[in-house]
């Protein structure tokens, strides 16, 4: 399970909101200073509530141009918190100063024209830089019908950053929490695009529960632990009560037996409608296997939990032993992607921090022409991404290669590496006689109960560079694009990009970096022999011969000593469960042996053809046999 923190990035596509990741960048980090107002009386409560929490950092997004923005949230009918409450005020953040026609509104649908279709409009005569609080002309009851609450404004001058990117957002993505419409576009629900929630809150009056919380999700997914060890799982908790949430109590149930109640104090209190993600531990079972558990939240702030269904399920996979583990960071990139320099920086930072415990694979597929990207690889097409730059860790969710799922991809990698491996894997690699192919041999041992696995192989290269067009890395961070006033607006390790590069053909700025982790060749699981189902601690061997590409522009930059082999082990869901990376040994000529009789072969001996296909039995001609002791023999079958 990954971080619940969200990377919130800037849209810079002119004229319309676009989710193409090649157009994204980090922008405008602020700390909000508003305080939740809570008044608790005998018969009534009142509180500021929204999908966005006051404690979150603020970011801003926009089109980079003048024009009108309509921004809204949707409150569904009979919402768990807002349902039945009376809405009297709205507050929102706006730092843009060159704005006109600012208004707050309520509608029963996404209006194509706010002026003509909103149920209620309040013009904001005096706009403050920051938090703006607006009282509605008449209170609105949030009941059995969904309502849209939002604000609109027109940017009259977009030369300053706060005006070019004026919509304030923060926190994590949620449904109904960020609806936007620009002058030249239609309404878009941006949930799932890592932009968080609109920085807008509603002042609600009515009856609230006091001490109440639910789980943000009811299926917590898989947690992996070892026998005698502990597994880490992430528990999202939503405060549904008027009282700030400071602690919870819960117990774990397995096979109908309830465990002891456990107490957890939150790192900091959270207010009504806010979610906090708790990092908790669970004991591995006494034997290897997969068991379903349930988590029940019994108390909030030491009092009985007032919600009806505070239960979530968890799948605990207990492995038989702790094995060496490496994770894989597959990065989608390309030389004509102007934001991809941050991916280059991030992948190098990952290498420097984790070494081969975090195996990087740079997939150059954004630029689809070898004339523009010497490292373009057409065959690495079985892993999907959004735009560039983007990445996936062990084939998990798409994240930013620099920011990860939060503000630092290193957090995501640390979390992933803390999870025990489900399989143990080893890899050996050797060049063929003319160094055009690599003979690969791997061994996989299953550490869970019966499970099915496949393998993939990749050849990657470091130190690739050139001085021709296919080696030019475009750079949108350069001062020539005007996205940044000076280098200080960039993170320290990206600041050099402000001055990096030169103008080519009066069209684009590019530079010539050194490229590492570049995917040269891949053998997908559809090409290799599947390991198949393995019993607990059963092992299987696998071999394949993978050829280098023959493209002259690319191969002229490849040095043999900078090529490495990688094996990826995937489960039945296609997720990478372990991996290994190794240098490639020099070619050693091997003699041709007499064919051993089948009775002389050990149980684990496996036959292969020269191209790496596993054979069910001896085949006439040259056979490769990997013996049970790991040695490899070449034999002739007559």
């Amino acid at each position: 399970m990954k971080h619940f923190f969200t990377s919130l990035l800037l849209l810079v596509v002119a004229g319309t909101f676009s989710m193409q990741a090649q157009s994204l960048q980090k922008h405008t980090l602020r700390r909000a200073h508003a305080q939740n107002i809570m008044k608790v009386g005998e018969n009534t409560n009142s509180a500021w509530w929204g999908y966005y929490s006051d404690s979150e950092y603020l970011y801003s997004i926009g089109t980079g141009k003048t024009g009108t923005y309509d921004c809204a949230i949707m409150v569904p009918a009979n919402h768990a918190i807002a349902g039945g409450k009376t809405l009297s005020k709205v507050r929102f953040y706006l730092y843009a100063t060159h704005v006109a026609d600012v208004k707050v509104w309520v509608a029963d649908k996404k209006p194509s024209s706010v002026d003509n279709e909103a149920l209620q409009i309040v013009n904001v005569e005096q706009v403050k830089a920051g938090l703006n609080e607006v009282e509605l002309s008449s209170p609105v009851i949030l009941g059995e019908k969904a309502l849209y609450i939002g604000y609109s404004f027109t940017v009259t001058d977009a030369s300053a950053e706060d005006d070019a990117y004026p919509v304030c957002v923060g926190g994590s993505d949620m449904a109904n929490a960020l609806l936007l419409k620009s002058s030249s576009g239609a309404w878009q629900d941006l949930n799932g695009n890592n932009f968080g929630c609109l920085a807008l809150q509603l002042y609600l009056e009515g009856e609230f529960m006091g001490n109440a919380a639910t789980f943000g999700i009811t299926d917590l997914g898989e947690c992996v632990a070892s026998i005698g060890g502990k597994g880490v799982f992430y528990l999202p908790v939503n405060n549904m009560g008027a009282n700030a949430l400071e602690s919870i109590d819960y117990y774990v149930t397995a096979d109908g037996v309830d465990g002891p109640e456990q107490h957890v104090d939150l790192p900091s209190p959270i207010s009504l409608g806010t979610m906090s993600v708790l990092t908790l531990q669970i004991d591995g079972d006494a034997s290897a296997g997969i068991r379903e558990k349930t988590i029940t939240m019994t108390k909030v702030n030491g009092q009985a939990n007032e919600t009806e269904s505070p239960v979530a399920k968890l799948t605990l996979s207990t492995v038989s032993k702790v094995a060496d583990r490496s994770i894989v960071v597959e990065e989608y990139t390309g030389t004509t992607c102007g934001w991809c320099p941050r991916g280059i920086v991030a992948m190098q930072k990952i290498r420097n921090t984790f070494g081969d415990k975090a195996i990087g694979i740079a997939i150059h597929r954004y630029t689809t022409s070898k004339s523009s990207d010497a490292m373009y690889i057409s065959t690495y097409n079985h892993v999907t991404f959004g735009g560039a730059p983007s990445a996936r860790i062990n084939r998990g969710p798409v994240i930013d290669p620099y920011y990860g799922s939060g503000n630092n991809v290193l957090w995501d990698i640390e979390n992933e590496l803390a999870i025990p491996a489900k399989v143990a894997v080893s890899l050996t690699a050797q060049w063929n006689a003319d160094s055009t192919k690599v003979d690969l041999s791997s061994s996989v041992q299953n550490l869970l109960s019966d499970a099915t696995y496949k393998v993939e192989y990749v050849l990657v290269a470091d130190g690739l560079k050139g001085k021709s067009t296919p080696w030019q890395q475009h750079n949108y961070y350069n001062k020539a694009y005007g996205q940044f006033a000076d280098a200080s607006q960039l993170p320290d390790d990206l600041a050099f990009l402000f001055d990096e590069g030169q103008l080519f053909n009066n069209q684009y700025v590019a530079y010539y970096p050194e490229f590492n982790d570049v995917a040269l060749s891949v053998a997908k699981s559809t090409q290799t022999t599947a390991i198949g189902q393995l019993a607990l601690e059963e092992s299987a061997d696998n071999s394949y011969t993978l050829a280098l590409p023959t493209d002259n522009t690319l191969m002229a930059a490849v040095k043999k000593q900078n090529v490495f082999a990688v094996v990826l082990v995937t489960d039945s869901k296609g997720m990478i469960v372990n991996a290994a990376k190794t240098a490639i040994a020099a070619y050693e000529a091997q003699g041709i042996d007499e064919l051993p009789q089948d009775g002389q072969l050990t149980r684990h001996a496996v036959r292969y053809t020269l191209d790496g296909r596993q054979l069910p039995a001896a085949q006439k001609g040259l056979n490769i046999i990997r013996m049970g002791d790991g040695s490899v023999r070449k034999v002739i079958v007559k």
Side-chain angles (χ1 to χ4, degrees):
M1 204 177 224
K2 306 292 188 296
H3 271 288
F4 284 81
F5 305 110
T6 307
S7 175
L8 304 174
L9 306 174
L10 164 69
L11 287 160
V12 293
V13 177
T16 184
F17 288 96
S18 168
M19 292 305 99
Q20 296 301 312
Q22 60 265 29
S23 303
L24 305 178
Q25 73 179 83
K26 195 92 168 179
H27 187 71
T28 312
L29 175 64
R30 293 185 175 95
R31 170 67 78 176
H33 295 293
Q35 297 296 318
N36 266 1
I37 298 173
M38 179 70 65
K39 293 183 287 188
V40 182
E42 287 186 13
N43 301 314
T44 184
N45 296 330
S46 58
W48 285 103
W49 167 84
Y51 299 112
Y52 164 78
S53 168
D54 299 327
S55 61
E56 303 285 357
Y57 283 103
L58 286 173
Y59 299 86
S60 62
I61 60 177
T63 64
K65 286 192 170 186
T66 58
T68 299
Y69 293 85
D70 297 321
C71 319
I73 64 171
M74 192 269 275
V75 181
N78 302 314
H79 186 268
I81 293 177
K85 308 300 191 299
T86 298
L87 167 64
S88 59
K89 291 184 283 189
V90 174
R91 68 184 186 188
F92 62 94
Y93 286 91
L94 183 63
Y95 286 93
T97 55
H98 294 90
V99 292
D101 196 22
V102 182
K103 63 191 73 172
V104 168
W105 49 267
V106 179
D108 58 4
K109 63 180 179 179
K110 288 182 284 190
S112 57
S113 169
V114 170
D115 289 337
N116 296 329
E117 299 174 21
L119 300 175
Q120 184 177 156
I121 299 174
V122 179
N123 293 315
V124 185
E125 301 298 339
Q126 294 184 336
V127 181
K128 297 186 240 178
L131 185 65
N132 289 267
E133 185 175 311
V134 180
E135 187 167 355
L136 299 181
S137 55
S138 60
V140 175
I141 296 176
L142 301 172
E144 297 182 354
K145 187 174 183 179
L147 288 177
Y148 295 82
I149 299 97
Y151 63 98
S152 301
F153 59 93
T154 299
V155 175
T156 57
D157 182 346
S159 56
E161 288 185 356
D162 284 340
D163 298 311
Y165 311 105
V167 181
C168 292
V169 294
S172 302
D173 282 13
M174 291 186 193
N176 309 314
L178 181 55
L179 310 175
L180 288 178
K181 178 178 178 292
S182 64
S183 293
S184 57
W187 280 101
Q188 294 192 56
D189 184 343
L190 301 184
N191 179 36
N193 288 281
N194 288 337
F195 289 91
C197 306
L198 186 65
L200 177 146
Q201 292 181 324
L202 313 179
Y203 189 69
L204 304 178
E205 297 175 281
E207 296 294 332
F208 293 91
M209 291 182 285
N211 298 290
T214 62
F215 295 129
I217 53 177
T218 57
D219 187 347
L220 303 177
E222 182 185 42
C223 172
V224 183
S226 59
I227 296 174
K230 293 183 180 294
V232 174
F233 68 99
Y234 301 96
L235 189 67
V237 178
N238 286 329
N239 184 13
M240 308 294 286
N243 297 326
L245 179 58
E246 297 183 4
S247 70
I248 67 166
D249 290 79
Y250 72 96
Y251 63 82
V252 179
T253 302
D255 300 327
V257 179
D258 297 339
E261 193 170 63
Q262 302 180 59
H263 179 83
V264 179
D265 291 319
L266 274 66
S268 58
I270 62 172
S271 57
L272 173 70
T274 303
M275 183 178 73
S276 180
V277 181
L278 307 181
T279 303
L280 304 177
Q281 291 185 328
I282 188 170
D283 292 329
D285 287 330
S287 59
I290 301 173
R291 296 174 74 193
E292 297 297 324
K293 314 268 185 175
T294 59
I295 313 292
T296 303
M297 183 166 30
T298 56
K299 295 178 183 177
V300 175
N301 299 330
Q303 305 297 315
N305 190 354
E306 298 177 38
T307 59
E308 296 180 358
S309 303
V311 178
K313 67 177 183 178
L314 173 72
T315 301
L316 178 64
S317 296
T318 304
V319 296
S320 60
K321 64 181 181 181
V322 177
D324 288 338
R325 183 165 194 245
S326 292
I327 61 97
V328 177
V329 183
E330 291 172 297
E331 182 210 18
Y332 182 65
T333 186
T335 55
T336 59
C337 164
W339 298 122
C340 284
R342 76 169 178 266
I344 297 173
V345 171
M347 294 291 276
Q348 187 61 45
K349 182 164 58 176
I350 292 169
R351 286 164 60 99
N352 294 343
T353 305
F354 299 102
D356 286 346
K357 301 303 291 181
I359 300 169
I361 301 176
I363 306 166
H364 283 250
R365 285 185 55 79
Y366 173 82
T367 307
T368 58
S369 166
K370 280 187 173 291
S371 62
S372 297
D373 189 340
M375 297 156 285
Y376 171 70
I377 179 169
S378 62
T379 53
Y380 212 122
N381 57 1
H382 57 299
V383 185
T384 58
F385 297 87
S390 57
R392 296 176 66 177
I393 299 175
N394 282 351
R395 308 253 164 104
V398 176
I399 61 175
D400 187 273
Y402 184 88
Y403 298 108
S405 61
N407 288 320
N408 191 339
V409 71
L410 301 185
W411 297 346
D412 298 89
I413 295 173
E414 288 171 356
N415 284 351
E416 193 70 30
L417 282 172
I419 302 172
K422 297 180 184 178
V423 300
V425 60
S426 61
L427 173 67
T428 60
Q430 179 179 290
W431 289 106
N432 70 345
D434 61 1
S435 296
T436 59
K437 299 179 180 179
V438 179
D439 296 323
L440 302 148
S441 297
S442 63
S443 181
V444 176
Q445 183 185 34
N446 179 34
L447 305 180
L448 268 174
S449 52
D450 292 1
T452 301
Y453 300 105
K454 298 179 180 180
V455 294
E456 299 179 14
Y457 296 101
V458 187
L459 299 181
V460 296
D462 291 341
L464 303 188
K465 56 185 177 180
K467 286 294 184 181
S468 57
T469 298
W471 299 101
Q472 292 174 354
Q473 176 62 57
H474 291 218
N475 176 21
Y476 292 162
Y477 290 92
N478 186 277
K479 57 191 173 186
Y481 289 97
Q483 297 295 334
F484 305 95
D486 55 65
S488 66
Q489 292 185 331
L490 293 168
D492 290 346
D493 55 359
L494 299 183
F496 78 96
L497 293 170
F498 185 76
D499 294 306
E500 188 69 77
Q502 64 187 83
L503 184 64
F504 289 89
N505 303 323
N506 289 318
Q507 295 179 340
Y508 61 91
V509 174
Y511 67 113
Y512 296 101
E514 182 175 275
F515 297 93
N516 293 322
D517 306 312
V518 176
L520 299 178
S521 304
V522 60
K524 294 173 274 194
S525 60
T526 54
Q527 298 169 264
T528 64
T529 302
I531 293 174
Q533 189 175 57
L534 298 178
L536 175 63
E537 297 202 349
E538 182 180 6
S539 298
D541 296 327
N542 191 277
S543 295
Y544 195 84
T545 298
L546 189 53
L548 289 170
T550 57
D551 177 75
N552 291 333
T553 303
L554 172 61
M555 294 311 298
V558 174
K559 294 180 173 58
K560 179 178 168 181
Q561 67 270 23
N562 290 339
V563 179
F564 300 88
V566 178
V567 60
L568 316 177
V569 184
T570 60
D571 62 14
S572 58
K573 297 179 181 179
M575 304 295 286
I576 297 172
V577 294
N578 207 350
K581 180 179 179 180
T582 186
I584 303 172
Y587 171 73
E588 292 184 9
Q590 298 183 19
I592 305 299
D593 298 330
E594 291 294 326
L595 175 66
Q597 297 297 316
D598 283 345
Q600 296 175 307
L601 296 179
T602 68
R603 176 175 177 269
H604 294 297
V606 185
R607 302 172 187 268
Y608 300 92
T609 62
L610 282 176
D611 61 2
R613 290 180 294 108
Q614 187 171 332
L615 297 170
Q619 176 177 286
K620 184 175 290 188
L622 185 61
N623 288 217
I624 306 296
I625 300 181
R626 184 181 177 89
M627 308 301 288
D629 62 3
S631 63
V632 177
R633 302 175 65 181
K634 293 183 179 179
V635 299
I636 292 289
V637 179
K638 299 180 180 179

